[in-house]
Structure formats: C-alpha cells, structure tokens
Amino acid sequence: MKKTAHTTSWASASQWYDSIVGQKGHFYHTEVIIPNTLRLLDLHANDRLLDIGCGQGVFSRHLPKQVAYIGMDIASPLLHKAKQYGPSHTFIQADVTKPWPAIDLCTHAVCILALQNMENPENVFSELAKVLAPGGRAVIVLNHPCFRIPRQSQWGYDEASKRQMRQIFSYLSSQKIPITTNPGKSSQTTWSFHYPLSYYTHLFHKSGFVIELIEEWCSPKESVGPTARAENRARKEFPLFMAISLFLPPLKKMIE
Ligand SMILES: C[S@@+](CC[C@H](N)C(=O)[O-])C[C@H]1O[C@@H](n2cnc3c(N)ncnc32)[C@H](O)[C@@H]1O
C-alpha cells in the first residue's frame, strides 16, 4: 500500500481510533448507525457495496455474507487493521477527493462519519456516480450538520424554565476545525469540516444524485441527576446524526 501524507488522513490517530471502534464498533455505531444504515441500504445477495472513508472497516463486519465489499480510505494504518479483521474483503488506499482508481461497478455505497472529515469533497460524488450502477443507492451518515458543528454549537440550560437548549453560533459559513483525538494522552489532531445542508444537496444534484430520504437519528442515552428530565427531553429533540439516502437514476446514467 502506498504511503501518503495528507492532512485529513486519520493515519496518526489510527491506534486510538481502532481502540475505540474495535471489532464491532463504538456505542453509536452499534446502537444507532450500523442497524439504521443497513435498513436504509436494503442489501440483497450478490449486491456489491463500496464503503467510502471506511476507516478500520467496521461496517464490513456487519454485512450479510453474500454481499461483496470494497473499502476505500486514505489512511494506510487503518486499512492495515481492516485487513487484519477481514482478510477476505477488498481495501483500497485512495484519497477520495481526487480521481479514483479503477474499481468494479457497485450496487450500493456508504460514507459513514467520513464526509465531514474531507476537505473539498466535490469530487467524491462525481467519482461515485461513475462507479455506482444505474439505479444504485448511496447512504451518507453525517454528524448532524445543523446541530453538531464543532466549536459552533453547544448545550445550554435555562434555569428559569428548567429547559435544556441547543445553542448554534454559526451555521451558513463553511468551517475547517481542528479536532484533538485521544485528549490528555498522546493526542493527535484531525480535521472536521462544516458545510451547511444546502452545500451538500448542491453536490449531490451536480453529480446526478436524487435524494430519496433524509433521516435524523437521536442518541438513545439517558441522563441521571438533577437536570436529567430536561436533558432527556432535549436529546429527543436534537438529533446527533443525519442520514441521507441517495439514488442514481438509471435515465441520467444512460444520457451521459
Ligand atoms: C471518523 S473516521 C470514520 C471511519 C469509518 N467510516 C467509521 O465509521 O469508523 C473518518 C475517516 O475518513 C478518512 N478520510 C479523511 N479524508 C479522506 C480522504 N480525502 N480520502 C479518503 N479517506 C479519507 C480518514 O482517514 C478516516 O478513516
């Protein structure tokens, strides 16, 4: 595998990331993201799935056996871990914001908590449109772009009404935000990128994708303590994740 230095790669955070994701996935993977993504994808035997920004390949380990899988990521150490967990799967090192290497046509694609870590992701969808079969489906899972903007959103508590609120300081401006992983120990910096929802919808539209569905997924955690009631209510009002199911119409593919 070719080693590439790139600012958005999670190569330097790979050991820490693998330690929190492991074989099955972290709490939100197993409780929210993976079951709901599988439901949206609606995979069948002989389907072929592309996982964009696959990390250490957690999604590959939750697929029905008859589904073929290709994972792509820029970070070699994460792909190395992925290969150790699932030697029978295909993993390709690539910067998906640049032209892609040749891959077989896929019926489905996912991009789980990774699009928000890519700078200038315009190319991702024009390249995806070339390798997704006509009528194919792609499911994109993001930290909710309206409510979870690193450094620009936070919880607040109103003493008078005893209500928990979500405070948003900016939304429409694009942001490049450094994220410290593994805080306090041997910390590393990765990057998070914020774009408003309309930016993403223009990207999808430009590459010929149609939005089938948008879902918003909340945290199933429950608080305890004096402000638990307010926190639990707010948790059910402000979703953590947004999932966008995209469809590539067969007609569009034939015209091109
Ligand atoms: C938060 S991790 C998510 C990984 C995996 N999807 C999961 O849910 O565990 C984000 C991933 O995006 C990858 N990434 C960032 N920029 C990339 C790029 N330009 N091309 C390919 N992968 C990229 C990182 O290396 C990292 O593995």
Side-chain angles (χ1 to χ4, degrees):
M1 244 174 246
K2 209 174 93 203
K3 242 190 162 164
T4 324
H6 191 286
T7 53
T8 68
S9 167
W10 281 40
S12 64
S14 63
Q15 272 198 337
W16 165 80
Y17 194 61
D18 183 52
S19 76
I20 62 162
V21 174
Q23 163 84 24
K24 290 215 165 103
H26 54 56
F27 176 82
Y28 291 117
H29 274 137
T30 58
E31 300 306 306
V32 181
I33 295 170
I34 291 174
N36 282 305
T37 303
L38 285 170
R39 173 178 53 78
L40 288 178
L41 283 169
D42 190 24
L43 293 162
H44 293 96
N46 303 322
D47 282 342
R48 180 183 289 277
L49 175 87
L50 173 66
D51 186 354
I52 303 164
C54 64
Q56 43 88 289
V58 62
F59 196 62
S60 67
R61 302 189 282 282
H62 292 266
L63 293 175
K65 285 228 161 15
Q66 309 85 333
V67 171
Y69 172 93
I70 305 170
M72 277 170 97
D73 201 287
I74 195 170
S76 304
L78 281 173
L79 294 174
H80 184 69
K81 300 253 183 218
K83 201 79 196 148
Q84 285 175 343
Y85 285 120
S88 62
H89 288 134
T90 304
F91 294 98
I92 299 172
Q93 195 219 3
D95 179 347
V96 297
T97 65
K98 307 262 163 64
W100 288 7
I103 56 172
D104 290 339
L105 207 62
C106 294
T107 55
H108 294 75
V110 282
C111 185
I112 298 176
L113 303 183
L115 194 60
Q116 65 215 16
N117 297 115
M118 295 174 191
E119 191 159 23
N120 305 320
E122 289 79 8
N123 216 35
V124 175
F125 293 93
S126 51
E127 291 296 303
L128 178 59
K130 295 179 197 163
V131 303
L132 200 62
R137 173 178 291 144
V139 175
I140 314 300
V141 181
L142 300 164
N143 280 334
H144 202 297
C146 308
F147 301 121
R148 292 180 74 203
I149 310 166
R151 298 189 180 185
Q152 301 300 328
S153 62
Q154 64 182 29
W155 290 114
Y157 184 70
D158 179 45
E159 271 296 343
S161 65
K162 309 241 174 294
R163 286 198 298 186
Q164 172 110 329
M165 66 187 106
R166 194 74 187 157
Q167 299 168 322
I168 314 292
F169 304 116
S170 80
Y171 169 70
L172 280 176
S173 311
S174 304
Q175 313 259 354
K176 177 174 180 171
I177 309 139
I179 303 287
T180 305
T181 58
N182 206 8
K185 297 183 188 149
S186 54
S187 56
Q188 302 90 19
T189 298
T190 61
W191 294 96
S192 187
F193 298 86
H194 166 72
Y195 301 103
L197 193 51
S198 50
Y199 165 84
Y200 288 118
T201 60
H202 280 278
L203 273 195
F204 308 147
H205 179 72
K206 228 167 83 183
S207 300
F209 288 93
V210 172
I211 295 177
E212 266 189 322
L213 264 182
I214 291 185
E215 291 196 356
E216 296 173 289
W217 301 333
C218 292
S219 166
K221 289 187 176 174
E222 294 277 332
S223 295
V224 286
T227 54
R229 192 154 174 263
E231 286 172 20
N232 291 333
R233 277 175 73 176
R235 213 178 265 119
K236 293 190 173 74
E237 287 302 326
F238 297 105
L240 283 187
F241 305 106
M242 175 178 280
I244 307 172
S245 178
L246 301 171
F247 173 70
L248 192 62
L251 191 62
K252 179 88 189 164
K253 200 83 185 180
M254 278 157 59
I255 290 167
E256 280 168 0

